[in-house]
Amino acid sequence: MAIEIVQQPAVGLSKIAVSETHGENSPYFAGWKAYDENPYHEKHNPSGVIQMGLAENQVSFDLLEEYLESNQEATSWGKKVSGFKENALFQDYHGLLAFRKAIASFMEQVRGGKAKFSPERVVLTAGATAANELLTFILADPGDALLVPTPYYPGFDRDLRWRTGVEIVPIHCESSNNFQITPEALESAYDHATSMNMKVRGVLITNPSNPLGATIQRKVLEQILDFVTRKNIHMISDEIYSGSVFYADEFVSIADVLESRNYKDSERCHIVYSLSKDLGLPGFRVGTVYSYNDQVVTTARRMSSFTLISSQTQLLLASVLSNKEFTQKYIKINRERLRKRYETIVNGLRKAGIECLKGNAGLFCWMNLTPYLKDATKESELEIWKTIMEEVKLNISPGSSCRCSEAGWFRVCFANMSEETLEVALRRLHEFMDKRRLSMAGRKGERERGAGTMEVIWAGAAEEGGRLIGERSKDRYHFLIRDTMASKLKQFQSKAVQASQFLSKHGNAYYKQLMEENKQYVQEPATVEKCNELSKKLFYTRLASIPNRNESFWKELDYVKNLWKNKKDLHVEQAGIAALFGVECFAWFCAGEIVGRGFTITGYHV
Amino acid sequence: MESSMKINNHSLLSKIATNNGHGENSPYFDGWKAYDANPFHPQHNPEGVIQMGLAENQLSFDLIQKWIESNQNASICTPQGASCFKEIAIFQDYHGLPEFRTAIANFMNRVRGNRVRFDPDRIVMSGGATGAHETLAFCLADPGEAFLVPTPYYPAFDRDLRWRTGVNLLPVVCESSNNFKITREALETAYEKAKFDNITVKGLLVTNPSNPLGTFLDRETLKDVVNFINDKSIHLVCDEIYAGTVTTGDAFVSIAEVIEEVPTCNLDLIHLVYSLSKDMGFPGFRVGIVYSYNDNVVSIARKMSSFGLVSTQTQHMLASMLSDDTFVENFLSESRIRLARRHDTFTRGLAQVGIGSLESNGGLFFWMDLRRFLKDATFESEMAFWRVIINEIKLNVSPGQSFHCSEPGWFRVCFANMDDETAMIALWRIKSFVRKNRNLKIKTKNQYWQNNQHLRLSSRRLEDMLTPHRMSPHSPLASPLVRAQN
């Protein structure tokens, strides 16, 4: 069937049908397609794409299987003829009471028993997808807005908007404070929505956050609750990863906050939960809306007719979840295993020179590739994402698909694969990063010729440059150089040595091609003196061009002047060259594109 | 439920949340509440209300149970099937398990006597027929646009198609005078009225076999319908969730057959809704199907199905069950026999006391004619008599007005959601009521209901029952008599 060939039918479909809000044309899904076409398999397709874009929890299946094996009778219809009949016929939208009780009790356990959940308020839906849509239908009219902190789960664009006609207005969160939601950001999002004539109906948070993999602090929850109360709007807390927090005491549910406020203002609060993540059962489509508002409970229940859970699955899970001994053990072991996985990936990435946001929950980490971006744009982010997909063969999710306001962040899932596959993925990334650095360093090195000499030059230049930058970095304009570069430069020396060694071994073919392409730039004879001379030429040319540039570059002049003042004679000049050269080398080392920076020093931290 | 401060929900919730679109204030649901408050139980509550408002199919569960016992590997919770647990539990592709789609297509073929072939790639899942209808409404129409629906129709369509979509339903008025046949005139009238009211009609929704009538459309009517929607260039949504309950089996004509016979039909306009809730009797499993001949609709409905997927545990079991051809054939034929028997028990029994019903061969219900019991031909009287049925006869049947029936006095009676014993008690209750009532009514001036014509009607019904499959469902059912009552 040729669904791909879209032929416009004679009579129109609805606006919803022809809209793009289902979001399947986003890069998020392109990565999935790449995976589908060439999926990794350790034996059959070891060079295939590894799926790291899927927040699936496969680490604790053995516990469930073990339970099922030892509880045959409880989990199926048993030997009774009536068992099947009764179950197949059960279509009350309240759901099986035993199942609602079991879910409520599981939610309490996950939250350490601090807050109580009443089975009367548990509304069942086919997955969190439907739960979020259902709440949106109930809380907002078409054209109204929900405020959602960025970065957020890409599916929200579909779940909250597509069929409801509701808009998402982003609450911009930034890396500078670890993407925390601030009162200022809330206000600013609210004002933005009002300025666009939208009625704000609520704030939706995911706690723990997807994609950040971090829980939200109690203080922040209090602030949000105060905010929604002040504005008289709703608060939806999507807590589908609450059982996937690595340390139980690091999670505070909105239910806990409400409990401590004696449920004052609780009617504006609604929790979304699901068993897809914490129990790893996405196929079973178990979602729930837990609202503290009676009318929302009643309406949500009525609406759940469109999206009920199979009674067969309710029966099975009622049995599994009402066994407290099992659930306690499961929650504990699952947390431990996820934590271990998280540590494996974060340490592995660190070894490859990649940092992640400090996380404590979820099935993914939030990877920072900002130092490796050509520039801080979405295009550069997608470029590096494409490279990782095509060359490293990893499907990860670019931050832009999560509407992250800063380029260069990626969500990397780690629980939907075996430990072995995770190791393969990390090895691939490690090799890729090495190669990337070395090929960049290699190009530079070969252009300068004389790999042996280069080791010395790089080492000295980097040391001197690093020192200078370190000194200079007391200035507030340059804190970023201090933070992100100076420390890197310290590692530079040994890396440079490695680079030269690698190059002398592997660089031949690449070298030849590179030299052929760039022969017009080559200076003969390529002595150390000549190289120094070229560096000086570059440095002074840059200095000379500064006054002609726009205002922002006066900072750079100021910077260079300062260097000038603080240093003496020829030594200063050399140091300046060294600084420039060191930083430049580092740029090559990381991003491989000195030209992309426009040869500016300040450009490095734009 | 603690809450210290009340906030004004009406200003805080959406219009959808605060309107009545869920339809639960209709009499249809009142009857359910009456049943819930005092449910019949043969031992514990023999005086309780018997539920005859629920279109459930309970007659053939023993067959399914037997199959399950001998096919332990179909469940992921048995030692035989547990090895699939992980694979099934994490499967979340909205296309559904391929074997599930194939099995559903196979089952749909067999229900229609293998005269049509359904393509598994066009099978889109949704949360029951409820979800399937809403999905199609979302795909086909914008808020304010409308679907035409022949009356009487399933009450929950008002919720399923309208509530969250903002779409309208406009009645195509069908009447008892021609056995509620859908005529071209009625369709044109409804279409013209919409045009006059400035409402864009986006489609026509027919249920075939009809709920509540229990009748199915003949080939000619279906062709008329197909021609009509092609002439107007509007969509046709054909709800065939009762296809497998047609007791005359092969006589049922699916839209899938008819469109092959109408070469000018634009297939992009044709969409089917199916479900396993009625034919198999699995409402709890929430298996609804959208089957569209329009590629765009298939693609969009599939994306939308994310909001109402079927549990993979259930998909896995049903894939196995419905691809067992021997089982399916045996089930379908045995189920038809049992449904026919139960249907006949009721309609013949009622005919004995002079209660007629619309001739029907499908569904899990029949359309009972109580017009002569009404004080006058108004919906108030219908409600008054319905209360008598609930409170005195202690049966929950559904009044015609909840189905938007244009004539008062008709009631839908479900017969397949109970065992034989309960069925006999229900029948006995009606009979004894009528006998008692006859004496009461004879003392009044109002004796018209007891005329000879009605005795003839009941004997006519009896004859029909003895040769159940001889007549077309649309054969005139004593139309002059019907008119005489009004």
Side-chain angles (χ1 to χ4, degrees), chain B residues 144-151 153 158 161-162 167-173 186-187 189-205 404:
Chain B
E145 295 180 339
F147 280 91
L148 303 179
V149 194
T151 60
Y153 65 82
D158 287 329
L161 283 105
R162 293 167 54 216
V167 168
N168 286 324
L169 295 185
L170 303 175
V172 176
V173 179
L187 291 169
T189 308
Y191 189 85
E192 288 308 316
K193 182 172 185 307
K195 229 165 98 180
F196 182 78
D197 294 340
N198 230 349
I199 301 173
T200 308
V201 173
K202 273 314 252 311
L204 168 67
L205 165 66
H404 298 267

Side-chain angles (χ1 to χ4, degrees), chain A residues 11 14-15 17 24 72 84 88 90 93 121 137-138 141 234 267 283 293 295 302 307 310-313, chain B residues 1 5 9 12 14-15 22 24 65 77 89 91 94 122 138-139 142 269 284 300 307 311-314:
Chain A
V11 58
S14 68
K15 292 191 183 76
E24 294 200 13
Q72 290 294 334
F84 175 82
F90 185 85
Y93 60 31
R121 293 191 177 279
F137 267 122
I138 292 173
D141 290 316
H234 293 274
E267 283 131 316
N293 183 315
Q295 199 182 346
R302 286 171 174 161
T307 177
S310 166
S311 52
Q312 185 194 19
T313 300
Chain B
M1 294 196 185
M5 192 182 97
N9 273 327
L12 268 180
S14 70
K15 293 188 184 77
H22 49 77
E24 293 199 18
Q65 183 70 28
C77 300
F91 184 91
Y94 60 29
R122 290 189 182 277
F138 269 126
C139 287
D142 288 324
L269 301 177
I300 293 151
F307 296 110
S311 166
T312 47
Q313 182 194 12
T314 302

Side-chain angles (χ1 to χ4, degrees), chain A residues 284-325:
Chain A
F284 289 1
R285 312 312 300 153
V286 180
T288 114
V289 168
Y290 189 92
S291 174
Y292 294 88
N293 183 315
D294 294 345
Q295 199 182 346
V296 172
V297 171
T298 309
T299 311
R301 193 153 273 150
R302 286 171 174 161
M303 225 179 248
S304 70
S305 297
F306 297 109
T307 177
L308 296 170
I309 303 168
S310 166
S311 52
Q312 185 194 19
T313 300
Q314 291 189 45
L315 188 75
L316 165 67
L317 293 175
S319 156
V320 176
L321 295 185
S322 54
N323 185 325
K324 285 221 168 124
E325 198 187 323

